[in-house]
């Protein structure tokens, strides 16, 4: 809640402070540019003040999601290794959280939150779904559903995780191949223009 209050305070300050600064230097600005230029500067400042903080938060959220997306395959490989080594699921999640701390801090933070929820007595499926919503990854949501189904059916977690990781790799390879195939079509227009 402290972060939310800080965000709203910054939005209010961003809305009023630049306008007061421009009003304070109104006379100086009129000597440097025509009145329409000063009004245009006010409008640009107002638009940036209103949309700037929102766009910054969206950029940070996208950056955080991208970091989690990059770290998710490593997290899956570590989980498989821990489960196949004989660790229980909760212990494996704690171990994975420690192992990925250096490379993927955003993913580690969200794993730590999930581990705290599990210690507090929340059901694993609910904690996993909340984790998936926080990091905003379809792969994480699919993992939560798959783990719930594996527990309900009593199938081996190690085999289930390995199958899921293989499918995830295949999907990533297909997406990479699609992007590579579309690259030549995207390059055609710039090549024609610059030639």
């Amino acid at each position: 809640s402290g972060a939310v209050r800080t965000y709203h305070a910054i939005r209010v300050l961003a809305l009023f402070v630049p306008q007061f600064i421009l009003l304070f230097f109104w006379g100086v600005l009129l000597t440097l540019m025509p009145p329409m230029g000063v009004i245009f500067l006010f409008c640009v400042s107002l638009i940036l003040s209103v949309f700037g903080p929102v766009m910054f938060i969206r950029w940070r959220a996208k950056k955080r999601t991208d970091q989690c997306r990059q770290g998710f395959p490593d997290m899956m490989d570590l989980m498989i290794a821990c489960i196949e080594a004989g660790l229980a699921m909760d212990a494996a999640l704690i171990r994975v959280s420690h192992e990925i701390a250096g490379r993927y801090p955003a993913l580690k933070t969200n794993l730590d939150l999930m581990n705290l929820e599990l210690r507090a007595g929340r059901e694993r499926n609910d904690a996993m779904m909340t984790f998936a919503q926080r990091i905003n990854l379809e792969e994480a949501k699919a993992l939560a559903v798959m783990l719930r189904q594996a527990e309900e059916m009593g199938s081996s977690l190690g085999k289930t995780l390995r199958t899921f990781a293989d499918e995830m790799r295949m999907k990533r390879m297909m997406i990479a191949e699609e992007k590579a195939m579309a690259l030549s079509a995207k390059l055609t227009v710039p090549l024609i223009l610059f030639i």
Side-chain angles (χ1 to χ4, degrees):
S1 75
V4 175
R5 282 198 296 270
T6 304
Y7 169 70
H8 287 303
I10 288 169
R11 285 199 72 179
V12 170
L13 287 172
L15 187 61
F16 291 109
V17 170
Q19 314 315 320
F20 282 129
I21 291 169
L22 287 172
L23 281 172
F24 187 75
F25 291 106
W26 179 266
V28 178
L29 289 170
L30 282 175
T31 59
L32 295 172
M33 59 180 73
M36 285 305 293
V38 177
I39 291 167
F40 177 74
L41 191 65
F42 261 98
C43 290
V44 169
S45 172
L46 190 63
I47 289 166
L48 287 174
S49 298
V50 170
F51 294 108
V54 177
M55 296 305 290
F56 177 74
I57 290 295
R58 284 182 184 167
W59 172 74
R60 286 294 300 271
K62 187 179 180 300
K63 190 177 173 185
R64 196 173 174 89
T65 302
D66 287 342
Q67 189 188 92
C68 291
R69 185 175 285 112
Q70 288 172 5
F72 200 78
D74 288 352
M75 183 193 96
M76 286 301 305
D77 290 339
L78 286 167
M79 273 179 68
I80 291 165
C82 290
I83 294 291
E84 289 182 346
L87 285 177
M89 190 65 184
D90 293 352
L93 288 168
I94 292 166
R95 182 69 183 169
V96 168
S97 173
H98 288 305
E99 291 295 326
I100 64 170
R103 291 186 65 192
Y104 308 107
L107 196 55
K108 184 229 187 289
T109 303
N110 285 294
L111 275 172
D112 286 343
L113 286 171
M114 183 172 68
N115 289 328
L116 285 172
E117 288 175 356
L118 290 169
R119 283 184 198 168
R122 193 168 190 184
E123 286 187 21
R124 187 182 297 128
N125 182 51
D126 293 339
M128 287 290 289
M129 286 304 290
T130 308
F131 165 76
Q133 287 167 359
R134 274 198 308 269
I135 64 173
N136 195 24
L137 279 183
E138 287 301 320
E139 294 98 323
K141 290 173 187 172
L143 175 66
V145 171
M146 186 269 305
L147 285 174
R148 186 189 67 196
Q149 289 173 348
E151 284 182 1
E152 285 173 357
M153 293 178 183
S155 55
S156 168
L157 275 179
K159 286 180 182 176
T160 309
L161 286 171
R162 190 166 290 283
T163 306
F164 178 78
D166 291 341
E167 286 177 5
M168 197 173 66
R169 276 197 195 90
M170 283 176 62
K171 282 181 185 175
R172 285 176 184 275
M173 284 298 293
M174 286 170 64
I175 290 165
E177 284 171 5
E178 282 175 16
K179 285 181 179 178
M181 288 169 65
L183 190 61
S184 58
K186 288 178 183 176
L187 284 172
T188 306
V189 176
L191 277 171
I192 292 167
L193 286 172
F194 287 108
I195 287 171

